[in-house]
Amino acid sequence: MPTLQATFYGHTYDNPFMNASGVHCMTTTELDALADSAAGSFVTKSATAESREGNPEPRYVNVDLGSINSMGLPNLGLDYYLDYAIKRQASHPDQPFVMSVASYQGFDEYVANMRKIQESDYTGLVELNLSCPNVPGKPQMAYDFEDTDRLLTEIFAFYTKPFGVKLPPYFDIMHFDKLRPSSTNLTSNLSTVSILSAMACILMKRLIQWSLNLRVALVVSVANMLNRRLLPMSAL
Ligand SMILES: Cc1cc2nc3c(=O)[nH]c(=O)nc-3n(C[C@H](O)[C@H](O)[C@H](O)COP(=O)(O)O)c2cc1C
């Protein structure tokens, strides 16, 4: 009998579909609705240390072919989501989900946020959002390859729970090599890597354009970076 079941990180989910962070996952009401929905799992809104209003409105508009947004990371703060995560984990230990963590202030806040989670009772998956656009004056962390490497090195020095990174689209094949953490020890610590669908589109386009050899090189390059399976965003 056909099944959509997907096994990931020691748990079998009914299906591999879930929301992407930021979409209907800001409040506990929205999160509970996702948890009670037919989705296999869910991910929380990316949390910064302090709650944020985000960019001035209008910041989200539906258009014929989808939507355009410049949200600026509005969220209710790390404590809010961590509290929800700890309670949800205790009440539904057999329904794992993903907690998304970001930073507004940059490097030190990323580290402090991860330290807080390490010291908390939450033991589930964390997705570190290194790819938040639309925050005026704050570049996406994952476009700074040296800082990303430094950040992961610092986090892995103390963080022992499962976590992955969410990356922005990259537009040059060299970036895949540049992103590869300097130590293979780092890659073996990553549990997931989420990529934007835009990146998947670029890869698809290139795969069609390029020769078989180059395709192999591309796959190896990405696989080396991760040292494990690449997981598309919004799928487990
Ligand atoms: C309104 C909105 C808010 C978002 N907020 C977040 C967020 O808080 N954290 C995050 O990692 N991604 C956020 N994203 C990005 C989505 O998770 C997703 O990566 C992006 O929309 C690309 O997927 P798509 O092509 O299916 O839209 C947001 C996207 C939208 C449209």
Side-chain angles (χ1 to χ4, degrees):
M1 168 138 167
T3 174
L4 283 175
Q5 281 188 345
T7 300
F8 175 66
Y9 229 80
H11 182 80
T12 298
Y13 299 82
D14 287 346
N15 62 68
F17 301 109
M18 58 190 279
N19 64 307
S21 180
V23 181
H24 198 79
C25 56
M26 175 92 86
T27 63
T28 56
T29 307
E30 289 179 347
L31 290 164
D32 281 342
L34 284 172
D36 293 339
S37 75
S41 185
F42 65 93
V43 54
T44 61
K45 173 73 188 168
S46 290
T48 49
E50 306 296 331
S51 63
R52 283 180 48 73
E53 287 288 326
N55 292 340
E57 293 188 350
R59 58 190 184 198
Y60 181 98
V61 180
N62 280 318
V63 293
D64 286 349
L65 291 176
S67 64
I68 299 176
N69 80 86
S70 175
M71 302 302 288
L73 217 47
N75 75 95
L76 297 169
L78 181 60
D79 289 346
Y80 180 92
Y81 298 103
L82 194 50
D83 181 61
Y84 176 86
I86 291 167
K87 287 181 180 150
R88 170 104 208 153
Q89 179 183 250
S91 61
H92 298 81
D94 54 342
Q95 292 176 17
F97 56 94
V98 182
M99 200 182 147
S100 175
V101 177
S103 154
Y104 176 65
Q105 300 292 347
F107 194 97
D108 290 346
E109 186 189 326
Y110 270 120
V111 175
N113 290 346
M114 292 304 284
R115 204 176 282 282
K116 192 173 224 179
I117 298 171
Q118 172 66 30
E119 288 162 5
S120 78
D121 289 336
Y122 179 63
T123 54
L125 262 171
V126 165
E127 177 179 82
L128 196 61
N129 179 2
L130 300 176
S131 58
C132 188
N134 302 327
V135 182
K138 311 277 179 184
Q140 298 183 47
M141 167 64 80
Y143 282 140
D144 185 327
F145 299 103
E146 282 176 15
D147 262 8
T148 297
D149 195 13
R150 208 161 56 83
L151 179 66
L152 291 178
T153 304
E154 187 146 338
I155 290 172
F156 282 131
F158 65 85
Y159 200 80
T160 56
K161 303 174 185 180
F163 96 98
V165 290
K166 179 170 178 180
L167 303 174
Y170 294 105
F171 300 101
D172 190 304
I173 198 66
M174 245 201 88
H175 293 158
F176 294 98
D177 290 329
K178 272 191 159 269
L179 185 71
R180 182 169 36 207
S182 52
S183 153
T184 48
N185 189 28
L186 288 185
T187 50
S188 57
N189 279 322
L190 280 181
S191 310
T192 65
V193 172
S194 304
I195 56 170
L196 301 186
S197 47
M199 179 163 134
C201 290
I202 291 164
L203 293 186
M204 292 271 285
K205 200 169 151 201
R206 296 220 162 169
L207 291 183
I208 292 165
Q209 284 169 353
W210 292 351
S211 72
L212 185 63
N213 283 346
L214 200 49
R215 187 185 320 178
V216 170
L218 173 67
V219 171
V220 168
S221 174
V222 174
N224 279 349
M225 177 185 88
L226 305 177
N227 202 17
R228 55 177 60 212
R229 224 157 34 113
L230 188 68
L231 299 170
M233 194 208 65
S234 307
L236 294 166

